[in-house]
Amino acid sequence: MVRVLVLYNTPADPEAFDRYYNEIHIPLARQLPGLLRYTVSRNLAALGGDAKYYLIAELDFASPEAVRAAFGSPAGRETAADVPKFATGGSSLMTYEVAEA
C-alpha cells in the first residue's frame, strides 16, 4: 500500500479552514479514483515542544501507479488546485510505502 500524507500548517483562520476543508475539500478528495482509505487527524499535540501542524490527512492507494493515476485524473487535478484556496498556512505533501513492522 502507498500512502499520501498531507501536513497542513496552522491556517490564518482555523474556523474558515475547517469549514472549507469539511464541506468542499473532503468531498473533492473522496472522488480520487483508486482511493482506498482517507483519514484526517485533528487536535495535534507534540510530545515535546509545539505542534507544528494543524491537520494531517492520509490517503491510501494500492500502488505508486494508483497514486499517479489518481492525481493525474481530472479529480486529482481539481483536488490539488483546491488546496491553495483554504490552506493559508501552507502545506506539505509526501508519499511513501506502508509496510507492516
Side-chain angles (χ1 to χ4, degrees):
M1 180 168 50
V2 174
R3 180 165 292 155
V4 175
L5 181 71
V6 187
L7 304 166
Y8 292 100
N9 297 329
T10 302
D13 183 345
E15 189 174 302
F17 175 100
D18 290 342
R19 185 172 43 257
Y20 191 97
Y21 190 81
N22 292 329
E23 296 175 9
I24 308 295
H25 194 71
I26 287 175
L28 281 176
R30 288 204 179 276
Q31 295 176 30
L32 291 167
L35 180 65
L36 300 174
R37 187 174 140 226
Y38 184 178
T39 59
V40 175
S41 300
R42 302 175 189 272
N43 302 317
L44 308 174
L47 294 177
D50 295 327
K52 179 178 178 180
Y53 302 109
Y54 179 74
L55 185 138
I56 298 173
E58 297 172 291
L59 295 84
D60 292 342
F61 296 87
S63 66
E65 295 79 18
V67 172
R68 284 192 290 279
F71 284 93
S73 73
R77 290 189 296 275
E78 185 178 4
T79 300
D82 189 53
V83 173
K85 296 176 183 177
F86 66 92
T88 56
S91 64
S92 299
L93 181 75
M94 63 185 74
T95 184
Y96 53 90
E97 184 177 335
V98 177
E100 299 276 333

